[in-house]
Amino acid sequence: MKNLNLKFIFFLVFIFKALEAEHLIKSEKFESFYVKSAITTDEKSRGLMNVESLEDSTGMIFIYDFPSIVNFWMYKTSLNLDIIFIDNNKKIVSIKNGKPFSTEIISSEKPVIAVLEIPFNCSNKIGLKIGMSIEWIPFKSVNKKKKINLCKKL
């Protein structure tokens, strides 16, 4: 019986995480757009490695359980990216460039609860700035909304 309960709990956690595979990104400055989500440790370690293009999304959001200083690198990532670090007040604390295949460490330098990776220069096109508030909403909770790749439209 105990084994059955553990399997059921695992199943519920798996389903819950799978349903949050995408998030809408919102701000007062731009129309909502969606990104893929990296919630688990494995998803975060893979990130956008080996992704050739962002045809099916605008990027990826890495969500952390508690504020911490995080480090990224572009190893096995062929895309040129804007890497946006977001603190626990959901404000942008820095925007950095991730160069394809670079092994240089890109640090948040301050504790963050989320990191948003979008195509290079997309942050400029949509007006993202340090200090700006930004939100993310699990895509499943925005039922009938059409997926929008905002950076692709620009």
Side-chain angles (χ1 to χ4, degrees):
M1 183 67 169
K2 185 177 178 180
N3 194 22
L4 183 61
N5 286 341
L6 287 175
K7 286 181 181 178
F8 181 72
I9 290 170
F10 177 78
F11 175 74
L12 287 177
V13 168
F14 177 78
I15 292 297
F16 179 73
K17 292 296 183 190
L19 289 173
E20 292 185 342
E22 297 175 336
H23 278 73
L24 282 177
I25 305 299
K26 292 177 50 171
S27 172
E28 70 280 355
K29 288 279 191 183
F30 56 82
E31 183 180 358
S32 300
F33 63 91
Y34 84 103
V35 294
K36 293 186 179 186
S37 307
I39 311 266
T40 67
T41 302
D42 187 48
E43 290 168 339
K44 290 175 191 166
S45 66
R46 264 190 329 244
L48 292 173
M49 282 185 186
N50 301 310
V51 173
E52 303 272 328
S53 71
L54 293 173
E55 294 297 317
D56 61 342
S57 77
T58 304
M60 181 172 276
I61 188 163
F62 299 75
I63 301 171
Y64 298 91
D65 293 329
F66 54 89
S68 56
I69 294 174
V70 297
N71 296 309
F72 282 68
W73 69 342
M74 299 292 291
Y75 176 72
K76 292 187 180 180
T77 305
S78 64
L79 306 168
N80 197 3
L81 299 171
D82 287 342
I83 302 174
I84 300 142
F85 296 97
I86 305 160
D87 71 10
N88 63 332
N89 295 314
K90 294 190 174 181
K91 292 199 181 278
I92 297 171
V93 293
S94 67
I95 301 172
K96 299 185 178 181
N97 175 235
K99 296 181 174 102
F101 303 109
S102 173
T103 56
E104 176 184 336
I105 299 299
I106 303 164
S107 177
S108 64
E109 298 174 13
K110 297 177 182 177
V112 297
I113 58 165
V115 178
L116 180 63
E117 290 184 340
I118 57 178
F120 176 69
N121 208 30
C122 184
S123 61
N124 286 333
K125 291 177 182 176
I126 61 177
L128 291 180
K129 305 256 186 257
I130 293 172
M132 177 185 279
S133 293
I134 197 164
E135 292 182 61
W136 51 93
I137 303 164
F139 193 70
K140 69 174 179 5
S141 66
V142 189
N143 293 335
K144 302 286 182 187
K145 253 193 170 177
K146 184 181 177 200
K147 291 181 181 180
I148 299 167
N149 186 329
L150 188 62
C151 295
K152 190 73 169 173
K153 287 174 35 177
L154 301 173

